[in-house]
Amino acid sequence: MSATSISACPACIAAPSAEAMAAARAQKASGLVLSLPTAHCAACISDVERELTRMPGVRSARVNLTLKRVSVEAAPEVTPEAMIARLAGIGYEAHELDPGLLSVTETDRRGRDLLMRLGVAGFAMMNVMLLSVAVWSGAEAATRDLFHWISAAIALPTLVFAGQPFFASAWASLKARRLGMDVPISLALILSSAISLYETFQGGEHAYFDAAVSLCFFLLAGRYLDYRSRAIARSAAEELAALEVPRATRIGPEGESIVPIAELALGDLVRVRPGARMPVDGIVTEGASELDRSLLTGETLPVRVAAGLPVSAGEVNLTGPLTVRVTAAGRDSSLHRMADLVAVAESARNRYTSLADRMARAYSPSVHLLALAAFIGWMVQSGGDIRLAVNVASAVLIITCPCALALAVPAVVTAASGRLFRQGLLIKDGTALERLAEVDTVVFDKTGTLTLGAPRPIDLDRHDATDLSLVAALAAGSAHPLSAALAAALTDRGIAPAPVSGLREVPGEGVEAFLGDRRVRLGRADWTGATPEDMTATYLDAGDGRAPRTFVFADQLRPGAAEAVAALKAAGKRVVLLSGDAETPVARLSKELGIEEWHAGARPEEKAGRVADLTAAGGRVLMVGDGLNDTAALAGAHVSVSPATALDAARVASDIVLLGQDLQPIALAASLAVTARRRIKQNFALSLGYNLVAVPVALLGLATPLIAALAMSASSITVSLNALRLR
Amino acid sequence: MEMLVYLIPASLLLGGVGLAAFLWALRNRQFEDPDGDGQRFLSDDWDDRPKP
């Protein structure tokens, strides 16, 4: 069935090579696309369009509310940053999208094409049915012949045009020596229109033009639904990828300039300001700072770097500005490496056969055998009346044709993914829901998945008020995440900062100031003379002769994490925590969430190995993770989920993307998937039931075109209504 | 039954007009932004004079 036979490869779409991206960008230099997540009303449209067209250099701006995007035609000197600032000024959040990654036109054309065929088939079906009603209610002789001729004139060109997707796909599967669902469909369309044409020539009583055209219409409807749910998922996935416009600040002979990463060459110097993500792999030539490697390794402790040390793409620079010499760019860059990693992992995933495929495998041969049996049986019975035998055989083919089967899966998947999308879950793969329904073990990553990756101080109560006011003063002087968290927490407690002077930040070390003539420092353990802890912590040297004070941090729980874990456990699933972080924070978190099974310090290959072990032991694993270190495990698991904040590679490797901050939809998705699977099976049972009633009638040669049309429409409509109950 | 001579062409013609309208709408990208189009006609920009 279409849900699987034209299976798109999400990795190929979401992670195109750097070269392709660069080429696409060059092509569309003048068109810019911004994402507008908060636009929702008529006023938003006119506000945004008016504000943008007022900017000098902007030729036109057009909002697409369905996609929540605005496309702008502008002179090259208009920068996206200026437009984003302009929109922020009137209260709209906007993000630049990489137009090269949004293959709008291509998917568009295919959708319009399907819709056009659907429209033509619908028009023809209505007209042929009108004529058929007259025939069914007893039109005779010349009138019936005339109606058959008109039906043929409408139906034949329609079938040639609207049936093309089926013929093409049937031909492709025959060339590959397989019997897909499309082979019996095409055979039924061709055989029934041929025999009907022959009957019309002979002035016969029965013509199946109406059945053939409505068959085509219902099948196209199923295919369009399937296409649409896939296109929506893909466009959202593309948008996620396009959000990170990969740029870097290059230091050239004539000063600094901002260039796309694809243009960087080996040996270029790149400036990375504090708070930014490393755009390339390289070696630090100047500056000192700390790096947050949690996306790559899961470690929450920041790592110190200085000149001469290597850095890799994806790490976040925390304190000081760094100058980095590029050691890997273009084809060898980490972007490419990530795509390779995912490709390897994807091919390692054992091929899942969807319910629809399993149905089709049993279905196609049996339909052909049944029709052949009917043909031979009636040849023998009637003593060689070919016309009668072909008539019966084509009636069998039409009645068994998988209208309801072709609608059963797409209708359920569309309804379920629509509901999950409203809850903030994006289903990237058509079979992900089915696989999710089978899951019995859930493996979570810690940093960035169960937690937000944002630290919060946890032991402020241990410290006295003088220390706290000193820390409040020092922490205000730095943008380091630990300082920012401390400053925010202390402001919340209403602690006034101590009067310090000469506040300065020492990159890579901490903050220093003077309280009267005492030098006070807040920062790394070795810089303040403290003994380092096995946890994320910062240290205060108050310069009063006492030992440095320790401020310990824990990662902040993601909202809904506790609820999701509790709900999954309540549903009888085994919950495992696999983290690359140190033992203490992992133990603390698993105790907080009530997860009994946890492993700390897991390297990427250990994570993937443990997922493989669980699978080998008969478990169906749902992996939830966000970092590069989770990518192999994500791709190796039965089904995988990653948050929208995850690294590109992790998002590409997973089947489902969590769009919001909240983790709770995961538990909801797991239960909805079970319902959806039950619904799919019900739909199969329904359409099999119709066949069980109608096929004997057809085999006995009693099927009139009226019965064929009734059986087909009734089963299709029942199946669609059953699917809609999911919404 | 002579009526059929007029009725059948008439019904086909009407259906054909509907189909042509649908295809025209499809070519003019009218199904591209259904949400936006639903909201756009509520806005009163350019109600007083045509958009330049």
Side-chain angles (χ1 to χ4, degrees):
Chain A
M1 202 170 309
S2 51
T4 43
S5 53
I6 332 171
S7 139
C9 149
C12 320
I13 297 150
S17 65
E19 299 88 331
M21 281 157 54
R25 203 174 295 115
Q27 229 170 31
K28 299 190 174 186
S30 63
L32 288 160
V33 185
L34 302 181
S35 145
L36 288 170
T38 54
H40 64 278
C41 58
C44 310
I45 300 181
S46 24
D47 282 355
V48 169
E49 288 182 355
R50 194 178 327 116
E51 190 65 24
L52 286 178
T53 35
R54 252 188 227 152
M55 287 179 72
V58 172
R59 280 192 286 276
S60 76
R62 173 97 186 165
V63 173
N64 184 325
L65 198 63
T66 317
L67 296 170
K68 294 195 190 298
R69 281 181 201 156
V70 55
S71 356
V72 186
E73 289 285 326
E77 70 268 14
V78 183
T79 63
E81 288 75 28
M83 289 194 278
I84 290 170
R86 201 72 186 238
L87 289 176
I90 56 166
Y92 290 98
E93 183 187 343
H95 307 282
E96 186 187 2
L97 295 174
D98 188 339
L101 282 182
L102 300 168
S103 52
V104 186
T105 46
E106 180 53 36
T107 48
D108 231 43
R109 193 162 355 101
R110 282 195 39 216
R112 278 219 310 277
D113 186 65
L114 264 178
L115 200 57
M116 197 191 301
R117 290 181 207 278
L118 184 66
V120 170
F123 156 81
M125 182 180 76
M126 280 188 283
N127 281 288
V128 174
M129 278 290 174
L130 270 181
L131 295 166
S132 296
V133 169
V135 176
W136 295 336
S137 33
E140 278 181 336
T143 320
R144 188 183 62 204
D145 284 349
L146 173 68
F147 280 15
H148 279 168
W149 277 114
I150 300 174
S151 301
I154 301 173
L156 293 177
T158 304
L159 287 175
V160 169
F161 174 68
Q164 269 171 28
F166 308 110
F167 300 144
S169 148
W171 179 241
S173 70
L174 277 183
K175 268 205 297 201
R177 297 179 184 284
R178 286 186 304 113
L179 270 186
M181 210 59 137
D182 285 330
V183 178
I185 293 174
S186 306
L187 199 62
L189 290 179
I190 294 171
L191 199 61
S192 63
S193 39
I195 190 71
S196 304
L197 195 60
Y198 178 75
E199 287 286 315
T200 309
F201 264 115
Q202 301 290 319
E205 203 179 331
H206 293 320
Y208 290 99
F209 292 121
D210 47 1
V213 175
S214 49
L215 184 72
C216 196
F217 174 76
F218 282 120
L219 289 169
L220 279 171
R223 199 146 293 194
Y224 181 67
L225 273 186
D226 179 55
Y227 165 81
R228 250 191 41 141
S229 56
R230 203 118 40 91
I232 290 173
R234 187 168 48 217
S235 108
E238 276 169 4
E239 187 155 320
L240 284 174
L243 261 177
E244 288 171 16
V245 183
R247 295 231 173 92
T249 313
R250 178 167 63 190
I251 310 176
E254 63 280 348
E256 290 183 9
S257 58
I258 294 184
V259 296
I261 289 181
E263 283 177 21
L264 287 176
L266 221 66
D268 275 354
L269 288 178
V270 174
R271 162 126 30 232
V272 186
R273 56 181 176 75
R277 197 173 277 187
M278 287 293 161
V280 289
D281 298 355
I283 289 178
V284 177
T285 56
E286 218 183 300
S289 179
E290 281 181 310
L291 293 181
D292 177 356
R293 290 200 158 139
S294 60
L295 267 181
L296 276 75
T297 62
E299 278 174 88
T300 45
L301 276 175
V303 182
R304 196 171 183 186
V305 287
L309 290 174
V311 291
S312 33
E315 298 172 339
V316 178
N317 183 13
L318 290 178
T319 40
L322 291 175
T323 308
V324 174
R325 197 176 64 240
V326 180
T327 56
R331 195 166 277 283
D332 317 309
S333 75
S334 54
L335 192 101
H336 216 88
R337 221 173 50 212
M338 282 178 207
D340 288 350
L341 198 79
V342 171
V344 169
E346 292 250 297
S347 65
R349 170 178 285 172
N350 40 1
R351 303 295 302 154
Y352 175 78
T353 338
S354 70
L355 280 174
D357 272 354
R358 270 179 268 168
M359 272 313 268
R361 221 173 265 175
Y363 169 88
S364 299
S366 53
V367 167
H368 289 116
L369 286 178
L370 212 58
L372 190 66
F375 179 75
I376 295 173
W378 279 95
M379 282 291 275
V380 174
Q381 170 75 23
S382 61
D385 185 349
I386 294 195
R387 182 174 157 194
L388 179 66
V390 172
N391 245 317
V392 173
S394 68
V396 169
L397 268 180
I398 284 197
I399 284 193
T400 53
C401 216
C403 261
L405 285 184
L407 268 171
V409 178
V412 171
V413 170
T414 308
S417 35
R419 176 147 166 220
L420 286 176
F421 189 69
R422 284 195 296 277
Q423 302 277 347
L425 273 176
L426 178 70
I427 312 286
K428 276 174 49 193
D429 188 298
T431 62
L433 270 176
E434 282 176 37
R435 285 181 276 138
L436 188 59
E438 297 175 347
V439 160
D440 55 16
T441 310
V442 185
V443 177
F444 281 102
D445 165 51
K446 184 180 82 75
T447 320
T449 306
L450 281 176
T451 67
L452 284 172
R456 107 197 107 109
I458 50 172
D459 63 344
L460 289 178
D461 294 325
R462 280 197 312 130
H463 301 279
D464 59 41
T466 7
D467 285 351
L468 288 182
S469 69
L470 202 52
V471 169
L474 289 167
S478 163
H480 190 285
L482 296 185
S483 290
L486 267 177
L490 292 171
T491 317
D492 280 351
R493 289 177 167 234
I495 287 166
V500 294
S501 58
L503 192 70
R504 72 184 184 99
E505 183 167 11
V506 184
E509 303 287 3
V511 197
E512 188 179 74
F514 288 89
L515 180 69
D517 55 353
R518 260 160 58 196
R519 191 192 64 187
V520 290
R521 279 176 163 180
L522 179 72
R524 297 180 57 87
D526 45 5
W527 189 58
T528 51
T531 16
E533 297 259 341
D534 183 29
M535 295 187 70
T536 310
T538 188
Y539 307 87
L540 171 73
D541 173 16
D544 53 3
R546 281 159 58 201
R549 266 72 92 195
T550 313
F551 292 83
V552 185
F553 294 81
D555 217 347
Q556 196 167 343
L557 266 190
R558 198 176 263 275
E563 290 87 344
V565 170
L568 288 170
K569 283 174 82 177
K573 311 227 190 288
R574 177 174 167 198
V575 179
V576 183
L577 178 61
L578 269 185
S579 176
D581 205 358
E583 191 153 338
T584 330
V586 177
R588 177 193 292 269
L589 185 89
S590 40
K591 205 171 148 213
E592 196 175 335
L593 290 175
I595 302 175
E596 286 91 22
E597 219 176 316
W598 54 269
H599 307 276
R603 290 196 308 275
E605 56 276 17
E606 283 174 355
K607 285 196 176 192
R610 210 167 270 279
V611 167
D613 289 348
L614 285 169
T615 311
R620 298 275 189 220
V621 181
L622 162 65
M623 173 81 199
V624 189
D626 77 315
L628 192 58
N629 57 336
D630 301 315
T631 313
L634 284 171
H638 195 51
V639 55
S640 45
V641 178
S642 65
T645 48
L647 216 56
D648 232 19
R651 276 199 319 251
V652 170
S654 51
D655 306 300
I656 301 173
V657 175
L658 205 57
L659 296 173
Q661 287 240 312
D662 205 326
L663 267 190
Q664 214 170 345
I666 291 185
L668 177 92
S671 66
L672 189 71
V674 176
T675 324
R677 190 177 140 94
R678 194 163 56 227
R679 216 58 101 219
I680 290 178
K681 287 187 168 169
Q682 276 172 6
N683 277 352
F684 284 151
L686 273 174
S687 56
L688 276 184
Y690 274 104
N691 278 346
L692 280 185
V693 175
V695 167
V697 177
L699 282 177
L700 291 177
L702 299 174
T704 58
L706 175 62
I707 294 183
L710 270 185
M712 203 161 48
S713 326
S715 69
S716 300
I717 291 169
T718 331
V719 163
S720 315
L721 288 180
N722 190 36
L724 283 179
R725 289 201 295 144
L726 263 182
R727 287 180 74 86
Chain B
M1 278 301 160
E2 290 74 41
M3 244 359 225
L4 286 178
V5 179
Y6 306 105
L7 284 180
I8 291 176
S11 85
L12 285 180
L13 186 76
L14 286 177
V17 168
L19 180 67
F22 172 71
L23 293 182
W24 172 81
L26 206 59
R27 293 241 158 126
N28 277 276
R29 306 180 162 252
Q30 305 219 357
F31 296 94
E32 215 125 281
D33 182 13
D35 291 357
D37 293 335
Q39 299 281 352
R40 244 171 225 282
F41 90 112
L42 293 173
S43 110
D44 45 16
D45 298 351
W46 314 113
D47 272 5
D48 41 354
R49 62 197 159 86
K51 194 170 178 177

